[in-house]
Amino acid sequence: SQQGEEDPQALSIQEGENATMNCSYKTSINNLQWYRQNSGRGLVHLILIRSNEREKHSGRLRVTLDTSKKSSSLLITASRAADTASYFCATTRTGYSTLTFGKGTMLLVSP
Amino acid sequence: DTEVTQTPKHLVMGMTNKKSLKCEQHMGHRAMYWYKQKAKKPPELMFVYSYEKLSINESVPSRFSPECPNSSLLNLHLHALQPEDSALYLCASSRPDILYGYTFGSGTRLTVV
């Protein structure tokens, strides 16, 4: 069963704006990861944040993790049309070595 | 080589057919996975191989049969599928500790008629 719940389910913005997606989960985790999927093809790993980290940056991506609230957010700054995709958070539960994916956010960036 | 290659990209099969999906990686990853993804849904775990041994089977029907011939190859054998099995089948690999995430293939779009 899915562990993560993304919010919002769909997000539509203009190029140059920032996009923020949120993810909540239910159990204790080892780490939380974000993936991007274009047009129903393979998923691309974007960033991983460990359970003892609070914030991480990679290029235009900023991820935060609040283990007390069991939530994470992904911020994409200065969005581009090429960022149009579905974004999934995924967690590895403590004691397990597999990923469980959330329901995903569909991001549409208009030129 | 930092890719996971899946073949075929598209497959249409009848309910009485037998077919196989193939997945190959040359990143030295010792964990490999099969996921199933229906339209507008997240991927769902089917099988996990760790060091070429099946470690997790998520109660998948026996009409799906995984095989890991060596550390680079993962197959999914299909037999007597149902139309509801139509989906995107994704292969992924990772280090066993998943510290750097999964690397996914581009998937096989399966249609059962």
Side-chain angles (χ1 to χ4, degrees), chain A residues 21-33:
Chain A
M21 288 160 266
N22 302 298
C23 168
S24 61
Y25 56 91
K26 297 175 183 176
T27 64
S28 61
I29 61 171
N30 289 328
N31 63 66
L32 185 143
Q33 305 175 32

Side-chain angles (χ1 to χ4, degrees), chain A residues 2 31 33 35 37 39-45 48 50 88 92 96-104 106, chain B residues 9-10 33 35 37 40-45 48 56 88 90 96-102 104-107 109:
Chain A
Q2 280 69 54
N31 63 66
Q33 305 175 32
Y35 288 79
Q37 185 176 37
S39 303
R41 301 310 296 182
L43 287 83
V44 175
H45 180 256
L48 179 152
R50 293 179 172 78
F88 293 93
T92 53
Y96 290 79
S97 60
T98 58
L99 280 179
T100 303
F101 287 84
K103 294 182 178 179
M106 292 181 61
Chain B
K9 293 193 183 307
H10 300 274
Y33 314 84
Y35 278 81
Q37 186 179 27
K40 300 188 186 301
K41 297 290 187 181
E44 294 185 349
L45 182 65
V48 180
I56 295 177
L88 181 68
L90 294 160
D97 57 13
I98 321 182
L99 282 180
Y100 296 96
Y102 286 9
F104 279 87
S106 58
R109 178 75 60 187

Side-chain angles (χ1 to χ4, degrees), chain B:
Chain B
D1 191 345
T2 57
E3 283 190 345
V4 174
T5 303
Q6 287 189 246
T7 55
K9 293 193 183 307
H10 300 274
L11 178 62
V12 179
M13 62 184 290
M15 288 189 285
T16 60
N17 291 160
K18 287 185 180 180
K19 297 287 184 182
S20 297
L21 309 184
K22 296 186 183 303
C23 175
E24 187 170 9
Q25 58 93 7
H26 294 288
M27 292 177 287
H29 289 165
R30 302 307 297 273
M32 297 186 76
Y33 314 84
W34 281 113
Y35 278 81
K36 173 183 177 179
Q37 186 179 27
K38 302 283 276 186
K40 300 188 186 301
K41 297 290 187 181
E44 294 185 349
L45 182 65
M46 299 177 70
F47 301 104
V48 180
Y49 274 84
S50 180
Y51 294 92
E52 296 87 67
K53 293 191 186 307
L54 182 66
S55 61
I56 295 177
N57 175 341
E58 290 287 304
S59 302
V60 178
S62 60
R63 57 186 184 269
F64 296 91
S65 175
E67 178 195 21
C68 189
N70 59 56
S71 61
S72 300
L73 292 174
L74 187 65
N75 298 321
L76 186 62
H77 302 297
L78 314 173
H79 174 56
L81 294 193
Q82 303 297 309
E84 58 266 28
D85 296 321
S86 299
L88 181 68
Y89 288 84
L90 294 160
C91 173
S93 69
S94 75
R95 289 172 35 154
D97 57 13
I98 321 182
L99 282 180
Y100 296 96
Y102 286 9
T103 301
F104 279 87
S106 58
T108 294
R109 178 75 60 187
L110 174 67
T111 303
V112 181
V113 297

Side-chain angles (χ1 to χ4, degrees), chain A:
Chain A
S1 62
Q2 280 69 54
Q3 155 121 285
E5 296 278 341
E6 276 92 332
D7 168 43
Q9 291 187 353
L11 180 60
S12 183
I13 60 175
Q14 300 289 318
E15 263 192 333
E17 295 180 340
N18 295 342
T20 300
M21 288 160 266
N22 302 298
C23 168
S24 61
Y25 56 91
K26 297 175 183 176
T27 64
S28 61
I29 61 171
N30 289 328
N31 63 66
L32 185 143
Q33 305 175 32
W34 286 90
Y35 288 79
R36 183 186 74 228
Q37 185 176 37
N38 292 87
S39 303
R41 301 310 296 182
L43 287 83
V44 175
H45 180 256
L46 297 176
I47 195 166
L48 179 152
I49 187 166
R50 293 179 172 78
S51 59
N52 60 354
E53 297 176 312
R54 292 297 166 258
E55 186 171 316
K56 202 162 184 179
H57 297 255
S58 177
R60 293 185 295 113
L61 305 180
R62 172 178 170 256
V63 171
T64 62
L65 179 64
D66 187 336
T67 53
S68 66
K69 295 181 180 177
K70 291 187 168 57
S71 67
S72 172
S73 68
L74 172 68
L75 169 67
I76 303 174
T77 60
S79 62
R80 306 163 181 168
D83 295 327
T84 294
S86 292
Y87 291 81
F88 293 93
C89 72
T91 54
T92 53
R93 293 163 56 187
T94 303
Y96 290 79
S97 60
T98 58
L99 280 179
T100 303
F101 287 84
K103 294 182 178 179
T105 293
M106 292 181 61
L107 174 65
L108 174 63
V109 183
S110 301

